[in-house]
Amino acid sequence: ASASASASATAPPHPALEAARQLKAQGGMTPDLTAPGVVAPAPAATDESPSAVEARMAAAMDAAADGTGVDFEALWRDMMSEESPLAFDSLWRDAFEERLREEEGGAGSTAAHAGATAPLTPYEMVPVESNPYVGHARPFEEGMALMREGRAREATLAFEAELREREDHAEAWRLLGECHAENDLDRSAIACLERAVEHDPYSLEALLALGVSHVNELSNAQALRTLKAWVEHNPRFQGLKIEADAFSDGSFLDDVTQLMLRAQEWDPSDPEVQEVLGVLYNVSKDFDAAAAAFRNALAAKPDSHALWNKLGATLANGSKSEEAIPAYRKALELKPRYARGWMNMGIACNNLGRHQDAASAYLSALSLSPGARHIWSYLRMVFRSMNRLDLVELTRQQDPRLFRP
């Protein structure tokens, strides 16, 4: 979804500059697919090696400072359509197809396709002395109860306590990953979900969640391999084969999509198939088809806050932020303590120029997930749009309590 903000050449520094400099380094401002929790940080852009986005925005800011009229809105829209780090989980730059081919054919892909074990994403638990659930009799059950109450941050501690005792507990790794995804911490989610799949390669829930988090992190080839494994490991779809049609282009993306379409023919009512199709259509930027797939899934699972969030993110990425808001609202009605839903709501409100609503939503997300520090960059951008430089400065302390009435 684009992240336009109202400003003119005579206004204070346009929020795009802050977005270019900070969001690129901290994770990209995008509605996330998951209930996740949607974004994996993009490669950091340093002052010594400025990105093209930063360079263009810095030049525009210099021109404005010299008194030259600059149409920031036109530049912002233009950049959104070209190279923005602020699209669907920073998704879908023009280089996507080339990058995917490189990942498929790169040095690491042979091992991946041959079934060799790739290094796991590092994961660091909180210290034992900082975890109040260490030593409890049944930390896994406590974690599940906390998740049901919407207390994902506390649940992570309970699941970590369980895993200190039983490192091979695949379901604990999966639920720990889902907690991180709900808190908009996809890198941590991936680390946990990889371990869940390592201990239980046939966990369909873990495979689907891992695929979505890889999409959020721009790891497109890994996402496709994971989603392909979801079909291949699903006992309902044993024996399905890819059958190329007249429109097939031979790409890995097309192969996985064709496989999922075969699965849909096999069981049209399966909401999980529709969910995977929705993710795949987002990868190929067919947002209308993705939205239709998520709606099909919601017909069978209307109480899934994660699916409502995915639908909202898809609509926002298809430049339909107004339509996205009711979907996010439904997700938050189902799960009020849903950090990723609040963050995505903030993005949609900001797209529509509803800056106070956006700020409120971002602060709600930060109160629920203090570790999602990239959201502070989004909040600063909103405050700049509101010409509240005093609040911009206050964000440096990264304490949501400072903004309470």
Side-chain angles (χ1 to χ4, degrees):
S2 65
S4 60
S6 300
S8 66
T10 58
H14 194 275
L17 182 57
E18 173 122 73
R21 287 178 175 166
Q22 298 192 39
L23 300 189
K24 185 173 180 64
Q26 297 185 24
M29 179 182 180
T30 64
D32 291 340
L33 272 180
T34 53
V38 219
V39 194
T46 66
D47 292 337
E48 293 75 26
S49 178
S51 68
V53 174
E54 289 182 85
R56 293 178 66 185
M57 287 308 306
M61 292 302 297
D62 291 342
D66 292 338
T68 303
V70 177
D71 187 346
F72 280 100
E73 285 302 311
L75 177 59
W76 188 239
R77 288 191 300 270
D78 179 49
M79 292 168 67
M80 288 300 97
S81 66
E82 292 180 8
E83 57 187 344
S84 169
L86 311 182
F88 189 102
D89 290 331
S90 297
L91 285 177
W92 325 143
R93 300 188 178 114
D94 291 337
F96 165 74
E97 289 82 6
E98 179 180 353
R99 175 177 174 176
L100 182 56
R101 286 194 297 270
E102 290 174 354
E103 290 187 13
E104 287 182 64
S109 65
T110 301
H113 286 292
T117 301
L120 295 175
T121 302
Y123 183 75
E124 184 175 348
M125 296 185 185
V126 300
V128 171
E129 60 272 16
S130 300
N131 189 338
Y133 296 96
V134 171
H136 281 216
R138 305 179 70 183
F140 179 74
E141 288 74 10
E142 291 185 65
M144 293 179 66
L146 290 166
M147 280 193 76
R148 287 192 295 270
E149 296 171 7
R151 298 165 60 186
R153 185 159 41 120
E154 293 91 334
T156 61
L157 297 175
F159 291 131
E160 286 188 0
E162 169 71 13
L163 289 163
R164 286 187 180 278
E165 298 295 326
R166 295 179 55 197
E167 193 277 335
D168 62 347
H169 193 166
E171 186 67 357
W173 280 116
R174 181 184 74 81
L175 292 173
L176 179 58
E178 292 199 2
C179 285
H180 285 306
E182 296 244 335
N183 282 330
D184 202 40
L185 299 168
D186 276 302
R187 282 189 172 178
S188 295
I190 286 172
C192 297
L193 292 166
E194 285 177 344
R195 287 161 175 79
V197 172
E198 178 187 43
H199 294 299
D200 182 4
Y202 292 89
S203 173
L204 299 179
E205 290 177 298
L207 285 167
L208 177 53
L210 179 58
V212 171
S213 283
H214 274 312
V215 168
N216 289 341
E217 286 289 297
L218 299 182
S219 303
N220 301 308
Q222 292 94 317
L224 292 175
R225 284 193 288 270
T226 303
L227 295 174
K228 184 171 184 283
W230 182 90
V231 183
E232 294 173 339
H233 292 181
N234 195 320
R236 289 170 293 174
F237 306 124
Q238 289 301 304
L240 282 185
K241 296 184 181 299
I242 298 171
E243 294 185 1
D245 57 26
F247 301 99
S248 299
D249 60 14
S251 68
F252 189 33
L253 171 61
D254 185 77
D255 286 349
V256 178
T257 303
Q258 292 292 332
L259 189 61
M260 286 308 307
L261 289 172
R262 292 292 314 283
Q264 178 180 235
E265 293 173 1
W266 190 281
D267 188 355
S269 64
D270 188 333
E272 292 182 344
V273 170
Q274 295 297 325
E275 186 174 358
V276 174
L277 279 171
V279 175
L280 289 172
Y281 284 132
N282 268 296
V283 171
S284 61
K285 298 188 258 188
D286 190 346
F287 299 123
D288 288 341
F294 288 136
R295 287 191 175 102
N296 289 338
L298 281 164
K301 298 171 65 177
D303 294 333
S304 170
H305 68 282
L307 280 172
W308 283 108
N309 180 72
K310 289 181 176 71
L311 175 60
T314 298
L315 292 168
N317 285 312
S319 301
K320 297 177 180 178
S321 291
E322 192 72 59
E323 295 180 35
I325 286 180
Y328 292 142
R329 187 176 294 122
K330 182 64 175 178
L332 292 167
E333 287 174 1
L334 291 165
K335 190 164 190 177
R337 296 175 59 85
Y338 180 21
R340 176 157 285 176
W342 283 113
M343 186 201 72
N344 282 347
M345 176 71 85
I347 293 172
C349 289
N350 187 56
N351 289 345
L352 297 168
R354 292 164 48 180
H355 301 308
Q356 287 188 333
D357 291 339
S360 178
Y362 289 148
L363 286 167
S364 294
L366 286 163
S367 295
L368 293 167
S369 180
R373 289 186 290 272
H374 53 280
I375 301 177
W376 287 107
S377 295
Y378 311 169
L379 185 60
R380 280 194 287 274
M381 188 170 74
V382 170
F383 287 150
R384 287 187 182 278
S385 296
M386 297 168 65
N387 196 20
R388 291 297 305 272
L389 301 186
D390 57 323
L391 297 180
V392 171
E393 187 60 31
L394 201 58
T395 63
R396 309 296 177 186
Q397 299 185 47
Q398 297 196 358
D399 185 352
R401 295 171 297 179
L402 297 177
F403 298 88
R404 291 175 181 170

